[in-house]
Amino acid sequence: LTCTMTCGPINIWPQPTGKASIGSKASRFRLSDVHFNVRTTHKPVEDLLWDAFRVFKEELRAVLVAHGAGEDEGDSSSVTDSGNDVWGRGQQDIGAKMEGTAAKIRFYKAVDDSRYDVDRFDIRVNVVKSPEVHLTMQTDESYNMTVGHMARSLVVKVFANSFFGAKHALTTLQQLIWFDDEERILKVLNKALIEDVPRFNFRGLMLDTSRHYFSVESIKRTLVGMSHSKLNRFHWHITDSQSFPLVSKHYPQLAQYGAYSDQEIYTAEDIRDIVKFARERGIQVIPEIDAPAHAGNGWDWGPKHNLGDLSLCINQQPWSYYCGEPPCGQLNPKNNNTYLILQKLYEELLELTGPLDYFHLGGDEVNLECWQQHFNESDMRTLWCDFMQQAYHRLQIANKGVAPKMVAVWSSGLTNYPCLSKNSFAVQVWGGSKWQENYQLISAGFNLVISHVDAWYLDCGF
């Protein structure tokens, strides 16, 4: 690995879009000699940066532990029973402050200081502009970073306009650090100048937790991988026809009837935990309750509670007549209780994940034959359009009367129909990369999120 880091091309991912000059010489350092300093006038930004630094330090410690070298490092950080470091602030040493009686100290054996090239490793972060701790489409994620080594001191200087830019700088710095297997020590490239700004302000990954349930810990591992690649939007496709794992405080029947089991669910506390975990890593969580199609299991309890049919064609056969894939299920566009439930779900999710300037309503693969069994509309696409407009209106109510700046839907037969405004809706294109709809939507002026099935889907054996 040392040869790869010092002899090959720049090992930054994604590669910086601006100037990038990285030396080939490395410095050996101790984790306990790393110091962190933040300069910003925004206290929430400072606090979140300290959280991000805690993550940075924990991940480096995990590298040491994975190589069986944790104790040899002489890192005498204080560690609570939960495994989290107890941090000071400003320029205090890591572990200089202890809180509560639960804390305990590990004493490691002395290590020969001559093994190390530095006595102090300073990371100095200056956030000069934005007070934001919630990502938006306008967030400036740029950063400039320099690394220099003088005498026995290593200094990293970071200048960013937001927490998110500074977080990306920490990720880049982490990519300049590695564990030398022969010397059994951490090393860092000790000279660098990097100017970087993301080429796209939406860099996402979608995870479907309905067709296949993922534990909270599995989701966190995904978020860690996203953070290391500087991806910034976690699109959480929470529900679909297969299952409804979200436990709603207003309508717990959805999970009661729709989850695979009482263990394969997501509570409000789970979601808060995931959102906090993501935010510390510079990632926004974008929830999606797919509607009106992709809504089967979990929606079949309406008649038992005097709410009528909330969804139609649930598990109907032959499935190929009534949905794109089994099991079938499509929300009832003429039952006001259906919209009320959606409104409350949006309200809960916005409270748990917000504030958000981007929200996903689903909206694709509506099977018109399903609805035609129940309604006599002359043009079923008009009914489809009415549903999406009503869902948008309910989202607006749930968001205290103001719609998120951009509301996303999947590409479908409706997005090429005169229904959705390009000023309010973005389209996530999931069809083939050469499909004509791509060019039509661009020509119509829509903002697009590109997730073509033949390039970006990872569910078909790729």
Side-chain angles (χ1 to χ4, degrees), residues 18-322:
K19 294 179 182 178
S21 174
I22 301 177
S24 59
K25 293 184 179 180
S27 295
R28 300 167 295 182
F29 71 95
R30 245 187 318 234
L31 201 53
S32 56
D33 289 329
V34 179
H35 303 259
F36 191 62
N37 176 257
V38 179
R39 291 186 62 188
T40 179
T41 58
H42 310 295
K43 187 63 165 58
V45 172
E46 179 183 356
D47 291 343
L48 197 53
L49 277 168
W50 275 97
D51 288 336
F53 180 62
R54 171 182 52 79
V55 171
F56 171 87
K57 194 82 180 298
E58 286 175 352
E59 291 187 348
L60 288 182
R61 184 175 291 111
V63 170
L64 293 171
V65 171
H67 289 84
E71 296 193 3
D72 291 340
E73 270 293 298
D75 180 9
S76 57
S77 298
S78 299
V79 179
T80 67
D81 286 335
S82 63
N84 294 323
D85 292 317
V86 180
W87 306 109
R89 285 293 189 262
Q91 294 183 346
Q92 292 179 336
D93 291 353
I94 301 304
K97 179 180 178 184
M98 295 182 64
E99 298 176 356
T101 57
K104 59 185 179 182
I105 299 177
R106 294 175 180 172
F107 295 97
Y108 299 148
K109 61 186 179 183
V111 179
D112 182 4
D113 285 346
S114 65
R115 294 181 64 202
Y116 305 100
D117 300 309
V118 298
D119 298 320
R120 189 175 181 91
F121 186 155
D122 281 324
I123 303 173
R124 303 170 185 172
V125 177
N126 193 343
V127 177
V128 297
K129 184 178 178 182
S130 174
E132 294 176 349
V133 291
H134 299 280
L135 192 69
T136 72
M137 288 295 175
Q138 284 71 46
T139 298
D140 184 346
E141 298 178 75
S142 64
Y143 68 90
N144 295 342
M145 185 178 80
T146 61
V147 181
H149 185 187
M150 183 177 294
R152 291 186 62 83
S153 179
L154 189 72
V155 178
V156 178
K157 296 180 181 179
V158 174
F159 293 88
N161 288 323
S162 71
F163 158 77
F164 299 92
K167 171 63 185 72
H168 297 323
L170 283 177
T171 300
T172 294
L173 175 60
Q174 193 169 344
Q175 293 173 352
L176 300 180
I177 297 171
W178 72 99
F179 182 81
D180 188 302
D181 291 294
E182 292 188 4
E183 296 187 49
R184 300 191 61 73
I185 203 169
L186 286 173
K187 290 185 175 182
V188 58
L189 294 175
N190 61 27
K191 186 176 183 182
L193 168 62
I194 297 172
E195 298 177 0
D196 194 13
V197 57
R199 185 163 290 141
F200 303 102
N201 60 5
F202 190 108
R203 306 178 306 283
L205 184 144
M206 191 201 86
L207 187 65
D208 181 341
T209 61
S210 170
R211 292 177 174 91
H212 183 88
Y213 178 83
F214 288 83
S215 68
V216 171
E217 290 307 310
S218 295
I219 292 173
K220 287 181 176 180
R221 286 197 299 271
T222 299
L223 291 168
V224 169
M226 290 179 64
S227 176
H228 288 172
S229 297
K230 302 187 180 82
L231 299 179
N232 66 351
R233 319 267 175 179
F234 176 62
H235 175 178
W236 191 355
H237 186 86
I238 304 179
T239 68
D240 210 290
S241 288
Q242 284 77 6
S243 75
F244 199 106
L246 173 65
V247 179
S248 164
K249 68 179 179 182
H250 291 104
Y251 298 101
Q253 300 95 330
L254 289 163
Q256 179 184 342
Y257 286 87
Y260 286 135
S261 73
D262 59 4
Q263 300 299 311
E264 295 167 292
I265 57 173
Y266 303 107
T267 65
E269 190 56 39
D270 291 332
I271 296 173
R272 286 193 193 94
D273 185 25
I274 288 169
V275 168
K276 180 179 184 295
F277 189 91
R279 186 170 293 134
E280 291 170 351
R281 289 158 178 78
I283 299 169
Q284 179 190 59
V285 176
I286 300 170
E288 179 198 353
I289 303 293
D290 207 349
H294 298 275
N297 292 317
W299 289 93
D300 53 351
W301 50 273
K304 299 177 184 177
H305 292 76
N306 299 316
L307 297 179
D309 289 323
L310 301 173
S311 186
L312 306 170
C313 311
I314 299 176
N315 295 313
Q316 191 167 350
Q317 295 290 344
W319 67 264
S320 58
Y321 288 13
Y322 306 110

